[in-house]
């Protein structure tokens, strides 16, 4: 006997939900029915997929392999059904997007109302994570990543790029003075990152190059945390245009050392697993957000 698609769906749902009872609630079955489906699937495959106890579940090596490929099969089936049923090319279905908190808050959330008006049949699921995630484990269709991509089996699409500004609040500058040359930064409180040392190399030209290494007075893992620290007058920060432009326009943050900025722009990429024909809902979102980010490519350093 061969495994059926509904059995694959139950298996994947159990793994994603973390328990048989949670999966049963989601698919509208009893826990015993879900458990029987898992046992039937394992019998068909003649292997153990999940080691189950009363307290926890753990995927076996065979289970991990099967989960990864079952997810891909179900995604392909979903894409096929969507394309066949969408004779009028109306994108629909659930779209799961993951991005670091600052990008989610400043470059996606402000455009959600417009996107939903354009594509009312797409159900959005927005998740934030400031660290690199596994798309399969996190059940993610698209992950937005800022900066240079490491070698990866994922497929990527460039969405544009964003300048970095050196910024501080008017209150901080009034109390501590305004740095006029790059070397003046040594006498100031600087705000840096804990998990990405590359972000502590600020894009500033000086006698030894165009990347100024800082010693942070305060470090944080999230750019949004650093932004709020800067707004509260705790120091000077180097932050992306997309998350500071409204603060700059409103005068809450001031751009510093613009004449010394090297002009480096952070790449913005969407990464995903599907390589050939993207699901229509994914393609629509990528086209939409790329259009919104196009303005950043030509952003100047004066804000």
């Amino acid at each position: 006997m061969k495994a059926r698609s509904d059995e694959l769906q139950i298996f994947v749902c159990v793994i994603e939900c973390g328990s048989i009872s949670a999966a049963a609630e989601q698919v509208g079955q009893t826990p015993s029915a879900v458990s029987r489906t898992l046992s039937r699937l394992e019998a068909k495959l003649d292997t153990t997929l999940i080691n189950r106890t009363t307290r926890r579940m753990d995927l076996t090596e065979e289970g991990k392999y099967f989960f990864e490929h079952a997810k891909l099969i179900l995604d392909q089936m979903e894409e096929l059904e969507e394309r066949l049923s969408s004779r009028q090319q109306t994108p629909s279905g659930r779209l799961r997007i993951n991005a670091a908190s600052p990008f989610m808050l400043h470059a996606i959330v402000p455009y959600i109302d417009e996107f939903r008006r354009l594509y009312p049949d797409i159900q959005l699921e927005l998740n934030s994570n400031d660290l690199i995630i596994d798309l399969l484990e996190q059940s993610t269709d698209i992950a937005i990543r800022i900066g240079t991509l490491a070698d990866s089996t994922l497929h990527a699409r460039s969405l544009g790029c964003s300048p970095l500004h050196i910024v501080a609040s008017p209150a901080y500058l009034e109390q501590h003075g305004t740095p006029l040359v790059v070397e003046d930064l040594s006498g100031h409180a600087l705000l840096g990152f804990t998990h990405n040392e590359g972000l502590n190399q600020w894009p500033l030209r000086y006698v030894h190059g165009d990347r100024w290494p800082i010693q942070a007075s305060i470090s944080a893992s999230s750019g949004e945390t650093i932004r709020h620290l800067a707004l509260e007058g705790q120091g000077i920060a180097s932050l992306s245009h997309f998350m500071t432009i409204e603060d700059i326009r409103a005068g809450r943050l001031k751009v510093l050392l613009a004449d010394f900025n090297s002009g480096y722009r952070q790449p913005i990429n969407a990464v995903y697993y599907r390589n050939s024909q993207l699901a229509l809902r994914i393609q629509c979102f990528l086209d939409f957000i790329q259009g919104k980010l196009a303005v950043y490519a030509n952003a100047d350093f004066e804000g």
Side-chain angles (χ1 to χ4, degrees):
M1 296 177 64
K2 297 181 179 179
R4 304 195 312 261
S5 62
D6 59 326
E7 294 168 336
L8 299 187
Q9 290 172 334
I10 292 293
F11 170 71
V12 168
C13 186
V14 168
I15 304 308
E16 290 182 340
C17 291
S19 71
I20 289 176
S21 58
E25 183 176 350
Q26 181 163 320
V27 300
Q29 297 185 17
T30 64
S32 59
V34 170
S35 183
R36 285 195 299 271
T37 299
L38 291 178
S39 297
R40 185 168 60 249
L41 179 61
E42 290 177 323
K44 288 181 178 181
L45 299 173
D46 193 24
T47 189
T48 300
L49 299 175
I50 306 173
N51 289 321
R52 304 191 286 277
T53 69
T54 56
R55 293 183 176 273
R56 59 181 296 173
M57 299 188 314
D58 292 305
L59 280 173
T60 63
E61 287 302 314
E62 293 78 11
K64 292 177 182 177
Y65 178 84
F66 190 74
F67 173 72
E68 179 177 339
H69 287 79
K71 275 284 296 175
L72 292 175
I73 290 170
L74 292 173
D75 283 344
Q76 289 169 355
M77 291 177 62
E78 183 180 357
E79 179 182 343
L80 178 60
E81 291 173 358
E82 177 182 318
R83 288 187 175 274
L84 290 176
S85 63
S86 297
R87 293 292 184 89
Q88 299 176 341
Q89 292 295 292
T90 302
S92 61
R94 182 173 59 164
L95 179 59
R96 298 158 296 191
I97 302 166
N98 185 286
S101 300
F103 192 86
M104 184 68 74
L105 292 172
H106 298 281
I108 294 181
V109 170
Y111 305 119
I112 290 300
D113 185 61
E114 180 181 352
F115 183 81
R116 292 191 67 208
R117 288 200 305 271
L118 291 171
Y119 306 107
D121 295 325
I122 295 178
Q123 293 86 50
L124 288 172
E125 183 178 305
L126 306 178
N127 297 300
S128 297
N129 195 311
D130 292 317
L131 303 177
I132 299 299
I133 65 161
D134 184 299
L135 270 66
L136 282 176
E137 289 183 0
Q138 299 292 327
S139 300
T140 295
D141 295 306
I142 305 169
I144 310 297
R145 294 183 178 169
I146 313 299
T148 303
L149 289 176
D151 290 340
S152 173
T153 58
L154 299 175
H155 302 286
R157 170 172 165 176
S158 173
L159 299 179
C161 55
S162 179
L164 289 169
H165 298 303
I166 311 303
V167 295
S169 71
Y172 176 88
L173 298 175
E174 182 178 350
Q175 183 174 357
H176 300 282
T178 300
L180 301 179
V181 296
V182 176
E183 289 74 12
D184 289 348
L185 291 173
S186 299
H188 285 269
L190 307 181
L191 307 175
F193 287 81
T194 56
H195 291 306
N196 190 338
E197 279 301 315
L199 295 176
N200 294 331
Q201 304 281 325
W202 290 5
L204 294 170
R205 294 188 302 270
Y206 70 114
V207 66
H208 296 300
D210 58 6
R211 301 284 286 178
W212 174 269
I214 70 160
Q215 293 294 322
S217 303
I218 305 176
S219 297
S221 61
S222 168
E224 189 64 17
T225 301
I226 293 174
R227 170 179 168 267
H228 279 276
L229 287 168
L231 288 169
E232 293 297 324
Q234 292 302 307
I236 299 173
S238 174
L239 294 171
S240 292
H241 179 86
F242 67 79
M243 64 184 301
T244 56
I245 182 58
E246 294 304 323
D247 294 322
I248 293 168
R249 287 172 175 165
R252 294 185 294 267
L253 291 175
K254 299 292 184 182
V255 176
L256 308 177
L257 302 171
D259 291 339
F260 297 92
N261 199 304
S262 66
Y264 169 75
R265 283 165 160 76
Q266 287 182 309
I268 303 173
N269 289 283
V271 296
Y272 47 88
Y273 271 106
R274 298 176 183 176
N275 184 29
S276 54
Q277 290 291 332
L278 287 177
L280 189 57
R281 63 186 180 280
I282 295 178
Q283 188 69 53
C284 287
F285 179 80
L286 293 179
D287 291 343
F288 174 83
I289 202 67
Q290 186 172 33
K292 297 303 180 184
L293 297 181
V295 65
Y296 299 150
N298 299 316
D300 61 47
F301 290 93
E302 297 295 339

